[in-house]
Amino acid sequence: MSLLAVALVLAAVLCWPGRGATSGVPRSRLALGRWRRRGSPLEDLESLARVADLLAMTLRSGATPVTAVAVVTEQASSPWAGVLGEVHGQLAAGAPVGEVWQRHARERPELSALAGAWALSEDLGVALAPSMATSAQVLRAQVQGQRRLDASTSGARATMRMLTLLPLAGMLAGFAFGLTPWEVYGHSPVTMASAVVGVGLTALGWVLCRWVLARAVAPQVHS
């Protein structure tokens, strides 16, 4: 049982959710889809860029906005299909859709580029197809920037996992000599206290490291 517990802890550390498209543990088909929507902003950006590209291509082919949105809605993935469906309903009713885009953009900032492009088209008469193409370029630039950011922080994240695994690897080595974790750490109050303090410091280290990484990769606003 002790060996199984240590193995489970090792697996949990190795599969610790990270940033971007590489973080997550599948649990069921429904839960996996929900987790990806919440934990994979990179995938959402890529799918939204495809939506903007499809809108631009459909509009350039001569389709009206309501037809273009209807066509793209059938090919869009979640969560953008729901947004496009609401936009299509407004367009079909002859109502302006700028407010719909802005409302969803407040919840999902990724939509800001499309919301701004549609607002320019409705307010100033700017051609919608070029605006959608520009929005797709902006979104793809964000994707590339996020990939570079993930690559630059991957070393720090790998170091965090390695330093966490080292004590657990020592416990596994004890099994080779017939020693259980309780025999190693539980034979005296001092060793037991050391183990508890070590676990606490490890958890504190994870919290601090993740906080430092979050501060390091946070966008900077220069006035």
Side-chain angles (χ1 to χ4, degrees):
M1 179 62 69
S2 298
L3 179 59
L4 177 60
V6 174
L8 290 175
V9 172
L10 286 172
V13 173
L14 288 173
C15 298
W16 186 277
R19 185 185 180 93
T22 59
S23 58
V25 180
R27 285 165 288 191
S28 68
R29 182 174 296 273
L30 179 60
L32 177 61
R34 184 183 302 115
W35 178 86
R36 281 179 175 170
R37 287 195 297 273
R38 294 178 179 176
S40 300
L42 197 61
E43 292 182 359
D44 285 349
L45 278 176
E46 289 176 327
S47 63
L48 186 58
R50 288 192 294 271
V51 166
D53 263 338
L54 288 172
L55 284 172
M57 288 188 294
T58 309
L59 290 167
R60 281 172 175 165
S61 68
T64 61
V66 63
T67 303
V69 173
V71 171
V72 176
T73 301
E74 297 177 356
Q75 305 181 41
S77 58
S78 179
W80 314 125
V83 178
L84 290 171
E86 187 174 345
V87 169
H88 177 262
Q90 288 288 102
L91 288 172
V97 297
E99 177 57 31
V100 176
W101 284 110
Q102 294 293 341
R103 174 164 48 82
H104 284 286
R106 285 191 289 269
E107 300 174 359
R108 299 296 300 263
E110 304 96 318
L111 288 167
S112 297
L114 274 72
W118 212 287
L120 284 175
S121 177
E122 286 186 346
D123 298 340
L124 304 177
V126 176
L128 190 55
S131 299
M132 288 293 111
T134 302
S135 299
Q137 293 175 1
V138 171
L139 291 168
R140 286 201 169 87
Q142 294 178 9
V143 169
Q144 294 302 320
Q146 185 61 59
R147 283 176 174 167
R148 289 193 295 268
L149 195 61
D150 290 342
S152 64
T153 58
S154 61
R157 298 178 189 281
T159 301
M160 291 166 56
R161 292 185 176 90
M162 182 187 68
L163 293 178
T164 304
L165 285 173
L166 284 177
L168 299 176
M171 293 174 61
L172 288 178
F175 283 108
F177 298 95
L179 299 175
T180 65
W182 179 253
E183 291 173 327
V184 175
Y185 297 107
H187 66 278
S188 73
V190 175
T191 55
M192 194 65 183
S194 299
V196 172
V197 171
V199 171
L201 290 176
T202 300
L204 179 62
W206 268 96
V207 172
L208 290 176
C209 288
R210 292 171 72 87
W211 176 78
V212 169
L213 282 175
R215 289 289 301 272
V217 302
Q220 300 293 323
V221 178
H222 302 281
S223 56

